[in-house]
Amino acid sequence: MKNTLPILMLFLLMPLSMRAQWMKTNALPGGNVHGFLNHGDTVLAGIGSEAYFSTNRGKSWIPVAAAPVNVFRLRDSDGHSVLFIGHDPFEEKYRWYRSDDFFQTAVPVLPADTMPFYEMIFAFSHIYSYGNNGVYRTNDNGANWEYLTSQRIESIKLKGTKLFAFNGNNQMLCSDDEGNTWDTLLTTNGFIRDYIIPDHRTFVFTDQGCHVSDNGGQSWQYYPNSIFSDHNFKFVWHNGVIFGANYEVLIKSTDLGQTWTTVNLPSTLAYPASAIVSSGNAVMIGGAQYVNSPGMHRSIDNGITWTPVSMGIRAAVGKFRKTGNDLLIAGSDGVYRRDVNSEIWVKEPINIPELSGNYWGIFDYVEINDHKIISTWYAPWVSTNGGFFWANSQFSNPLPWDQDEITQMEIIEDKVLGWGFAGGHANQYYTSEDEGLSFERLNLSNIFAMDIDSQRAFALHSNGTIYRSDDACETWQIHSQSLPKDSCNTWFPYESRLIVRGNVFIAYAEIGSTFLFMHISLDGAQNWSSYCQEDNLSSLPWGNSEIRDIALVGNKLVAATQKGIYVSENGVQDWLARNEGLWQVNIRDLIVHDGYLWAAATNGGVWRRPVSELELHVESETRAEKENWNDALKIYPNPAAERLFVEGNKEAGAIEIRDMTGRLLVQKNINTGINPLEITSFKPGVYQLIFVGQSGGRVVRKVAIL
C-alpha cells in the first residue's frame, strides 16, 4: 500500500480550483468499524461508509481523499490494488469493486451469471471468487470468468505459492496449481470457523478446538477447547500471540493455541470487537461506535490495556444547531462544537453512564439558557452544570404500555418541544417548561408529523389538515386544509414528515424505503405541487428518494435528499444537482452558517461548501446600478448597533430585512425621508435589506448588525 500514498499527496497539493468543490470538514466522520486490511506499514480500515488509512500503526487515521462509492466492506489488497464491496448511492446497488489508485476510481468487477460471489481475493495476477458452486477466476475484472472447480470452497487465502481454503464443513484444503485442483490437508474435529498461516505454522480453528501444524500440514497437534463452541471467531497472529474476536468477546492465546483467556475489553457494550488487525507492535479491534466507545481501540501490550482511537463525527442522525457564533452537531458518539474562528470540531463533555443495548447513541442536542439537553434512543438527559453531570429527564405522565421516547427536539420560546416513537407505536409529542428537567405529553391526537419554523409550530393531521400554533403549542388553529386528496394520498404515523421553511412546505410519506407521495407548496401551504409513486417522477432528479431537509438562500431552494444536494431557482419547476465532489450523497441535514452551506451525510460526516460556489448568492447590487437606483436609498450607520436609519430619496415603497438564509424578519412600508428602525432584537451578523419602490425599482443592501 506504500506506493498509493504519492497519489494521495498529489491530490492534497492540487490547487483549490482543481479540487472537488464540496469539501469534507477536517473532523473524521467516524462510524462502525467493519473491517481492516494491512500491507506493510499501511493499514486500511472500513469505517462507516468510507475507507481510512494509517501509516503509524493505528495511532491516527486519515480518510481516503475521494472514494467514488460508499465503501461497505473491505475484502483484499495485493499491496497496490484493493477489492471491496461498495454501495452505489445513485443506483442503490451493492457491487464488487476494484481500485488501483487508492480509491480515486473504482471499477466494477462483474459477477459470473451462474453464481453470487461471497468473497474475492487477488492471487497470481487474477481475481479469485468462490461460493456454493465452486471457484472462478478472472484477469479482466469479470468480463470473462474461468470456472476452476465445482468443489465447495470457503475462505481462500494466498500463502507463498499455494492457495488454502476449507470446504464449509470439516476439511482443510490446499492447492499448489493456482486453484485448478485441491487436496485435503486436514479433516478436523468439528466445523471449521477460521484459520491463519503465520510464519511456518498453520492454525485451524473449529467449534471444538484448535489444530496446529509446524510442518506445512504433514502432521497436526489438536487442542480441544469449549470456548469456541458457540462463537464464530476471526483470528489474527500478533507477534507470537493469537487473538480471536467475535461480536461478543475477545480471547487470546500465548502458547500457540493450547490455552485461551478472555481479554478484558474497554467497553461492556455489545459488539465491541467485530474486526481485528495486527500492525507492528499494535493490535486494533473495531466495532460499533457509541457514546462511550469510539468504535476502535488499540493495544501495544498484547491486549492488557487499550487506548481508544477517536474517529470523530458520525453524522448519522444529528441536526445542526447554532449557539451564538458556534455550530454544533450531534453524532452517534457525542456532540461536537465548531467555533466560528476555528477549524477544529471539539467533542463536548457528555459523561453519561454506559447503558446496555445495541446501537445506543445520541440523536439530538439543544441548549436553553444554562441547560444542555440530549436525546438518546431511550430518553432525554439534561445537564445543569455545563455537561459534567447528566441526569434523566422525567416524564410527568408516562404512557402505560411502554417507555416514552424523545429522539428530536426544538426550542420554541421558553419551552423545549420533543417527539419520538412511544413504545414503537406512533409519534408522541412533549413539552418541557423547566428547561428539560421534565417533559409532559401534549394532548394531541392523530398528529403524524410536526415541524418548527420562526418560533411557530406546524402539525400534520392524519386527514391532511395542517395546524399551526403561535404560542408554543398552547393553542392551535387550522393553517391549511388544501393538501390534495387522491388515490395515493394515505398518511402513516411512522413514515410521515413535514418540513416548513418560511413559505415553503413539504409533506411526504413512505413505508420503509418505498416512496408513497410528496407535496410541495411555495405559498404557505395554500397551493401544492404533488408527486405520487404511481406518477412519472422524471421531474424529480432524485427520483423517489426522500427530501430530508431544505434550506432557503435568497430566492433559491436547496433540497437535501438521499441522492445529494439539489437547487431550484424557479420554485420547483427545475432542479440542478450540485454534488460536485460530494460522494456521500445521503444527506441528513443542511444549514447556512458563516458563509458556507453545511451538509451532514448519514454515516458520512460533515461537509461544507462556500455559498458563493453553489451560486446561491443573495441578490446583488448590480441590478440597482443598472437601473440607476443606487441613490434611491441610504442606510446608516452600517454597521449598526441599536438603531438603523433608512432614508428614501426617490419614492416611497416597502422594505424587507432577511437573514442570510433568506428568512423574512421585518416587512414594512416607508416614505421618502428618514425612517428609523429598531434593531436591538437582532442577533449580531450580516442581514439583507431589500427596498422595492412604488414604480417597481429595487435596491438590495447588506447590513451588519453589531
Side-chain angles (χ1 to χ4, degrees):
M1 208 63 73
K2 291 180 181 178
N3 55 352
T4 62
L5 296 181
I7 297 173
L8 175 69
M9 296 308 298
L10 284 174
F11 175 83
L12 295 176
L13 293 174
M14 285 181 184
L16 289 176
S17 59
M18 296 176 61
R19 296 195 199 176
Q21 294 188 18
W22 276 100
M23 299 298 292
K24 196 184 325 179
T25 62
N26 61 330
L28 300 180
N32 297 342
V33 180
H34 50 72
F36 293 103
L37 291 176
N38 60 344
H39 187 87
D41 293 331
T42 300
V43 183
L44 277 173
I47 303 172
S49 56
E50 294 187 299
Y52 292 67
F53 72 94
S54 173
T55 57
N56 56 12
R57 297 173 178 174
K59 290 182 181 179
S60 60
W61 293 83
I62 302 171
V64 169
V69 295
N70 296 333
V71 178
F72 182 67
R73 287 287 187 271
L74 297 172
R75 281 313 188 214
D76 195 29
S77 170
D78 62 359
H80 173 73
S81 301
V82 180
L83 281 170
F84 66 97
I85 300 175
H87 179 258
D88 186 331
F90 295 98
E91 295 189 17
E92 296 185 348
K93 292 182 179 179
Y94 289 93
R95 292 191 177 97
W96 283 94
Y97 289 91
R98 171 182 181 159
S99 179
D100 300 323
D101 53 11
F102 209 62
F103 297 93
Q104 301 304 298
T105 60
V107 178
V109 181
L110 304 176
D113 294 335
T114 56
M115 64 177 293
F117 286 160
Y118 302 143
E119 295 291 342
M120 288 189 184
I121 70 162
F122 290 113
F124 310 114
S125 301
H126 285 72
I127 295 175
Y128 283 72
S129 189
Y130 48 92
N132 292 335
N133 295 331
V135 181
Y136 291 73
R137 70 181 178 189
T138 179
N139 60 5
D140 54 14
N141 292 330
N144 297 281
W145 288 92
E146 180 183 0
Y147 190 31
L148 298 180
T149 177
S150 61
Q151 282 182 274
R152 170 75 182 272
I153 299 291
E154 290 187 15
S155 187
I156 297 179
K157 298 178 183 180
L158 175 65
K159 183 70 173 180
T161 60
K162 293 185 178 182
L163 292 174
F164 294 86
F166 60 88
N167 68 347
N169 194 343
N170 65 340
Q171 289 185 328
M172 185 72 185
L173 307 175
C174 176
S175 173
D176 57 10
D177 60 1
E178 300 185 2
N180 291 288
T181 60
W182 295 81
D183 298 321
T184 299
L185 195 64
L186 169 69
T187 299
T188 65
N189 294 320
F191 293 100
I192 298 176
R193 298 286 176 78
D194 195 15
Y195 67 95
I196 57 176
I197 311 175
D199 302 327
H200 61 280
R201 294 186 178 89
T202 304
F203 297 86
V204 180
F205 307 97
T206 75
D207 59 347
Q208 297 182 24
C210 174
H211 296 262
V212 183
S213 174
D214 293 328
N215 51 19
Q218 298 181 39
S219 62
W220 296 84
Q221 180 67 45
Y222 176 60
Y223 305 111
N225 200 314
S226 61
I227 196 171
F228 303 145
S229 59
D230 297 325
H231 306 286
N232 288 315
F233 285 96
K234 292 296 181 183
F235 294 87
V236 66
W237 176 266
H238 177 68
N239 300 332
V241 179
I242 305 173
F243 284 88
N246 73 347
Y247 291 102
E248 295 180 5
V249 297
L250 182 67
I251 59 176
K252 73 176 182 180
S253 173
T254 59
D255 55 8
L256 303 180
Q258 297 182 54
T259 60
W260 296 81
T261 58
T262 301
V263 178
N264 293 324
L265 289 170
S267 172
T268 59
L269 292 170
Y271 308 128
S274 59
I276 187 168
V277 70
S278 170
S279 178
N281 67 334
V283 61
M284 287 155 278
I285 56 173
Q289 186 181 36
Y290 299 94
V291 172
N292 296 311
S293 174
M296 186 188 298
H297 288 80
R298 179 177 182 269
S299 175
I300 58 173
D301 56 9
N302 287 328
I304 297 174
T305 60
W306 296 88
T307 301
V309 180
S310 177
M311 300 312 299
I313 298 171
R314 180 190 178 196
V317 291
K319 287 180 64 65
F320 289 111
R321 302 292 184 189
K322 288 184 180 180
T323 301
N325 290 326
D326 294 350
L327 187 64
L328 298 99
I329 190 168
S332 291
D333 72 323
V335 176
Y336 292 81
R337 180 184 298 267
R338 188 183 184 97
D339 188 280
V340 69
N341 297 317
S342 173
E343 290 299 315
I344 300 174
W345 289 91
V346 178
K347 192 173 181 179
E348 295 284 273
I350 299 179
N351 302 314
I352 301 176
E354 190 170 273
L355 302 179
S356 60
N358 300 341
Y359 304 107
W360 181 87
I362 293 178
F363 280 71
D364 206 354
Y365 172 84
V366 295
E367 294 182 4
I368 179 169
N369 297 327
D370 59 345
H371 287 202
K372 301 174 184 287
I373 312 167
I374 64 170
S375 62
T376 68
W377 184 266
Y378 297 105
W381 296 67
V382 60
S383 174
T384 60
N385 63 353
F388 294 98
F389 176 78
W390 295 79
N392 273 128
S393 303
Q394 300 299 311
F395 287 95
S396 60
N397 54 346
L399 293 175
W401 59 80
D402 207 336
Q403 182 174 347
D404 298 74
E405 296 176 6
I406 291 178
T407 55
Q408 299 181 64
M409 297 179 293
E410 295 288 347
I411 303 298
I412 182 168
E413 295 184 1
D414 58 348
K415 297 180 182 179
V416 182
L417 176 65
W419 63 88
F421 289 134
H425 294 76
N427 270 328
Q428 295 291 330
Y429 300 91
Y430 312 83
T431 58
S432 173
E433 298 185 7
D434 53 13
E435 301 172 345
L437 295 174
S438 64
F439 283 86
E440 181 174 356
R441 185 155 44 97
L442 287 174
N443 187 22
L444 299 175
S445 59
N446 296 318
I447 297 300
F448 285 175
M450 187 178 289
D451 200 14
I452 308 297
D453 183 67
S454 300
Q455 294 295 294
R456 297 190 298 174
F458 297 86
L460 173 64
H461 193 271
S462 58
N463 64 11
T465 299
I466 295 178
Y467 290 88
R468 187 185 79 242
S469 174
D470 300 326
D471 55 9
C473 302
E474 293 290 337
T475 60
W476 294 85
Q477 58 183 299
I478 293 176
H479 181 82
S480 170
Q481 290 180 303
S482 62
L483 267 173
K485 296 179 175 63
D486 52 40
S487 60
C488 76
N489 193 358
T490 304
W491 297 106
F492 291 87
Y494 307 143
E495 309 289 351
S496 299
R497 180 76 187 274
L498 178 67
I499 303 173
V500 182
R501 302 289 184 273
N503 284 328
V504 179
F505 282 64
I506 295 180
Y508 70 79
E510 64 176 4
I511 297 181
S513 60
T514 302
F515 173 85
L516 293 180
F517 62 87
M518 178 175 64
H519 304 296
I520 301 179
S521 172
L522 303 178
D523 59 3
Q526 302 308 307
N527 297 283
W528 300 84
S529 298
S530 300
Y531 305 88
C532 179
Q533 66 172 345
E534 301 169 0
D535 300 334
N536 183 357
L537 297 175
S538 60
S539 58
L540 295 177
W542 56 86
N544 61 357
S545 298
E546 292 182 44
I547 289 183
R548 297 289 184 79
D549 195 16
I550 58 174
L552 303 178
V553 184
N555 64 340
K556 310 290 196 302
L557 178 63
V558 187
T561 77
Q562 291 174 297
K563 295 292 183 65
I565 305 291
Y566 294 85
V567 181
S568 178
E569 298 185 84
N570 55 4
V572 293
Q573 298 180 40
D574 301 291
W575 294 91
L576 177 65
R578 301 312 308 264
N579 297 318
E580 298 88 345
L582 183 68
W583 68 86
Q584 299 290 351
V585 296
N586 190 351
I587 307 302
R588 174 69 61 174
D589 198 49
L590 287 176
I591 196 169
V592 176
H593 176 70
D594 193 31
Y596 289 91
L597 180 64
W598 301 73
T602 301
N603 292 332
V606 180
W607 299 68
R608 73 175 185 178
R609 186 171 184 176
V611 168
S612 58
E613 284 190 9
L614 276 171
E615 298 179 357
L616 302 176
H617 307 290
V618 294
E619 295 184 64
S620 69
E621 299 173 17
T622 57
R623 173 180 291 183
E625 294 170 356
K626 290 178 181 178
E627 298 176 356
N628 297 318
W629 273 76
N630 262 346
D631 297 330
L633 199 71
K634 291 183 179 179
I635 302 171
Y636 53 90
N638 191 5
E642 297 180 353
R643 181 173 292 185
L644 184 69
F645 295 93
V646 179
E647 183 177 345
N649 296 331
K650 194 165 186 177
E651 64 184 32
I655 62 168
E656 294 180 353
I657 297 180
R658 296 178 179 269
D659 64 18
M660 297 305 283
T661 69
R663 183 162 49 183
L664 180 64
L665 304 175
V666 172
Q667 187 176 38
K668 65 178 298 185
N669 295 324
I670 65 169
N671 298 315
T672 56
I674 298 174
N675 300 267
L677 293 176
E678 295 292 335
I679 56 173
T680 54
S681 62
F682 281 45
K683 295 180 179 179
V686 178
Y687 296 82
Q688 184 184 29
L689 189 148
I690 304 169
F691 168 77
V692 180
Q694 291 176 338
S695 62
R698 190 179 181 90
V699 179
V700 180
R701 293 284 190 272
K702 292 179 182 177
V703 180
I705 306 298
L706 301 177

